[in-house]
Amino acid sequence: MPETSRRHLLLGGAAVSAGALLTACTSNEPRNAKDTAPVASAAPAADDKPGTPVTIGFAGPQADHGWLNAINENAERRAKKYADVTLEITEGSNDTAAQIGQVQTLINKKVDVLVVLPADGKALTQVGLQAMKAGIPVVNLDRIFASPQAYRCWIGGDNYGMGLNAGRFIGEQLKDKPNATVVELAGMDSLELTKQRTQGFDDALKNYPNIRKVARQAAEFTVESGQAKMAQLLQAQPTFDALWNHDDDQGVGALRAIAQAGRKDFLMVGGAGAKSAMDAIKADDSVLKATVLYPPTMAASAIDLARALGQKKGIGGMAELEIPASITLYSAVVTKENVDDYLPTGFN
């Protein structure tokens, strides 16, 4: 099971200020003063104190899923924390042309910084390039643009890491069981992120030769699809030892199908970090024993980064004068032992 320390809580499961995204590492080993090498002066870092006013334009997809709604809520809540931030937020759309128009409107308003979670990263690349050429730095949130020239900084989750850590957790639970079998309830196979999650899961299972994946079904990130596809898996596989479900929203439906079938003979690991999943893990009264985070608090951190960019500041704990070009969040595993730490980050 991966480490779930406070450091991972900050980077992977909770919104943090730009001044605390990264912390400096120090050694406990004493050093002779004459052996101490010169170090760079600390870079000016963004903090919570009011500074230069910054107008941030925020454009995301339609909030038709619990995780996407949490993205919008995290961005708005974070912006309200800062007296020096004005947030211009769009309505959000899954229609590519509509979202391009919304971003162009923000460009025309001459916002200081843009934060964009594109409905389609490839399709929105040109408008990202347009903003950058206009001198407006872009924080690309999660779904990545096709060109690094279209953004100043990318921040997002680790889809491969989700699968990897889900596989590691299941592997450790079943490592002593001969001929163990697992099944997978994936997300939409048309999405690259689904393929990455499956690849990470499969790679992790390679470390456990006693475990074999015997079935996989792709759902659509909805309660209804989760219930229907899980029912099919249960009918096709009368026995198995573990289930990994890519998404906690569709997991609500999966749990319904499992309860209807009266099955309690396996353990389940969810994905993304919904509050409903964390509540079930804490209650410990179902097959759901863990969920792997894909934290929507990344939107709050994107606001922190945008503010730092607008104020021309770096990140505390780093010598660099600039923020990083990319930040990948950690996919922590939430279990009964640490669920209280992560409950505040759970989304509805």
Side-chain angles (χ1 to χ4, degrees):
M1 175 178 172
E3 178 190 1
T4 51
S5 65
R6 179 63 53 179
R7 178 173 64 88
H8 281 159
L9 173 61
L10 290 174
L11 283 178
V16 293
S17 68
L21 275 169
L22 295 175
T23 56
C25 295
T26 59
S27 172
N28 291 324
E29 293 290 333
R31 294 190 298 172
N32 190 301
K34 68 180 181 180
D35 295 329
T36 304
V39 295
S41 300
D47 54 33
D48 292 351
K49 297 176 183 177
T52 305
V54 179
T55 299
I56 300 172
F58 183 89
Q62 184 178 345
D64 55 1
H65 181 278
W67 186 86
L68 290 171
N69 184 62
I71 283 285
N72 292 341
E73 289 180 349
N74 272 276
E76 292 186 75
R77 188 162 53 243
R78 198 64 169 180
K80 289 177 181 177
K81 173 185 175 181
Y82 299 118
D84 50 24
V85 168
T86 299
L87 188 67
E88 293 275 353
I89 190 166
T90 65
E91 184 176 344
S93 175
N94 289 332
D95 180 84
T96 299
Q99 193 179 27
I100 289 172
Q102 290 170 347
V103 176
Q104 287 175 332
T105 296
L106 293 171
I107 293 171
N108 292 336
K109 286 185 175 181
K110 301 185 186 304
V111 296
D112 298 307
V113 189
L114 269 170
V115 176
V116 182
L117 197 166
D120 182 319
K122 184 176 181 181
L124 269 287
T125 298
Q126 285 302 316
V127 79
L129 289 167
Q130 181 182 338
M132 292 289 287
K133 289 177 181 176
I136 300 173
V138 176
V139 177
N140 180 194
L141 181 57
D142 199 43
R143 299 174 188 170
I144 195 165
F145 292 135
S147 169
Q149 297 185 66
Y151 59 90
R152 165 59 184 81
C153 175
W154 174 86
I155 180 170
D158 185 358
N159 286 295
Y160 178 85
M162 279 186 75
L164 194 68
N165 286 347
R168 285 172 173 167
F169 177 82
I170 288 173
E172 287 302 301
Q173 306 308 304
L174 301 179
K175 64 182 179 181
D176 296 324
K177 183 177 177 62
N179 302 314
T181 57
V182 300
V183 298
E184 180 181 7
L185 185 63
M188 297 175 66
D189 271 341
S190 60
L191 298 177
E192 184 64 26
L193 65 88
T194 299
K195 299 172 186 176
Q196 292 168 351
R197 291 178 187 184
T198 291
Q199 187 63 59
F201 187 62
D202 290 346
D203 286 351
L205 292 183
K206 291 176 183 177
N207 296 310
Y208 303 93
N210 64 306
I211 301 175
R212 181 168 55 98
K213 186 168 75 172
V214 294
R216 180 184 184 276
Q217 282 277 7
E220 298 176 359
F221 294 131
T222 66
V223 173
E224 295 75 19
S225 68
Q227 185 169 355
K229 296 297 183 179
M230 191 67 232
Q232 292 177 23
L233 275 174
L234 292 168
Q235 187 172 13
Q237 302 295 326
T239 61
F240 55 87
D241 298 297
L243 158 71
W244 183 44
N245 162 55
H246 285 207
D247 176 74
D248 286 334
D249 271 19
Q250 70 184 27
V252 172
L255 285 170
R256 286 179 186 171
I258 292 165
Q260 288 171 359
R263 295 283 295 272
K264 299 179 180 179
D265 54 316
F266 59 88
L267 69 92
M268 175 179 173
V269 176
K275 186 178 183 298
S276 61
M278 294 191 195
D279 287 340
I281 291 165
K282 184 171 183 175
D284 197 21
D285 57 2
S286 73
V287 297
L288 184 59
K289 302 303 179 186
T291 187
V292 186
L293 293 187
Y294 198 82
T297 47
M298 65 178 72
S301 294
I303 296 298
D304 291 335
L305 292 166
R307 177 174 176 261
L309 279 169
Q311 295 179 345
K312 296 180 172 55
K313 293 182 178 180
I315 290 177
M318 296 185 71
E320 279 66 34
L321 294 169
E322 302 286 349
I323 68 169
S326 65
I327 298 172
T328 302
L329 302 182
Y330 181 70
S331 295
V333 179
V334 178
T335 66
K336 186 179 180 181
E337 286 69 33
N338 62 13
V339 66
D340 286 335
D341 290 335
Y342 291 98
L343 260 173
T345 74
F347 58 90
N348 294 313

